[in-house]
Amino acid sequence: FRSLKLAPWLKQQQLCCRQALCNAPASGPLDVAMFPCCASEPPPEAEPVSVVEEGRSASRTIVEKSFQAKLEEAFQSEFPFNAVDTSTYDFDKDKCTLQAEGLANAKNVAELLKEDSTLCVKILGFTGPGTEKDDGARLLRLALERSRAFRAVLAEAGCVNKVAAKGLGHADGKGPRCEISLCTAEEADAVEKEALELEAAAKKPKTSLDGPRTFEIEGERTSKDSFGMVFDCADGELPVLKTIQAGGIVDAWNTNAPPEKRVAVGMALTSVNGMSYVGKEMIAKLNMLGFWKLTFEVPKVVRLKKSDTDKFGLDLEGGARRKALLVKSASGQAADAGLKPGDRIVEVNGKAGSSEDMLKNLLATEGEVAL
């Protein structure tokens, strides 16, 4: 009786039985005739059948598996996709396709959803780890393609429910697939909006001078482990690493990692398990246990020349506890070099430190400065 559709019927049975027991004699056997509810209409989605029990013939109602149970069972099915070469996948020409098992299971879900068109669902797409050439944004796009391919199968089967599709990239080690679950209409709208924003960010070309480049680190975390990182969220958008604590996960990672994959102060955390968040929300995601994957962005280098007429063309903001200078505005050569409001300067002439120290270093520089 897991289906919510049975709740009113069950309530009626409870009230009838309670009243019947109150009216029953203080002693003597109880008879089915004392319980008129037993002879009432059967519960929803059930057929009355005749059975023989202990030598007596009685009319009983056998309840088939509820709609809710069928739906939950269908959602737990496997929805595997055919693997693709992520490094060469063409988003304009190539298509994501479900394996035969996944296609059959998706069509079964569609048939169940057609029984109640008011239900809303969300589909999450996943990829494998990809190759060295793949970045988190590319895997997110591929995962989104898979979730939308799943949604297309439901629509082709006649499903008219509200279905939100979102890609999570390589968020675990279970391979390319999709997962589906019920959600509210509001949650479906929010998921769809976030998916569109991530897709737009993934498609946006990166324009930089000497970078930036990104790299990923991954591993397993237990409740006893700490990442050992302290971040600066000066602009409220992107967490910039300002301290790596000894004995933490990241400190241990750096011990054995090649130089190009070592995490350093000044790098920005751009995604957690393939998903990007804003400021402190990103940091909160580091409380996860089990498999994790973090994407870091290495700062680009911008070179400017100080002159009498153009003092670098920057309006900067610091703070007592900040490890970066926040760019409030950029003009002249700074704007031409690609600097813009919201950028953060984490080193001046190769030296990091507090925002006050970096500002002093910048103002004392004559000629060319490397930011």
Side-chain angles (χ1 to χ4, degrees), residues 237-253:
E237 293 291 333
L238 201 62
V240 172
L241 186 58
K242 67 178 184 180
T243 304
I244 298 177
Q245 298 170 339
I249 293 175
V250 173
D251 181 49
W253 169 275

Side-chain angles (χ1 to χ4, degrees), residues 236-311:
E237 293 291 333
L238 201 62
V240 172
L241 186 58
K242 67 178 184 180
T243 304
I244 298 177
Q245 298 170 339
I249 293 175
V250 173
D251 181 49
W253 169 275
N254 285 342
T255 302
N256 300 313
E260 67 274 11
K261 282 204 168 188
R262 290 176 187 166
V263 182
V265 170
M267 293 183 179
L269 179 64
T270 59
S271 73
V272 177
N273 284 345
M275 297 187 66
S276 297
Y277 302 90
V278 176
K280 294 182 179 179
E281 186 180 359
M282 180 99 74
I283 300 173
K285 297 298 179 181
L286 295 176
N287 292 326
M288 63 190 170
L289 300 178
F291 175 84
W292 55 266
K293 175 182 281 189
L294 308 180
T295 304
F296 288 93
E297 182 179 271
V298 181
K300 65 183 179 182
V301 178
V302 174
R303 301 182 186 277
L304 304 176
K305 288 186 178 181
K306 189 175 183 180
S307 66
D308 293 335
T309 58
D310 185 1
K311 307 295 186 181

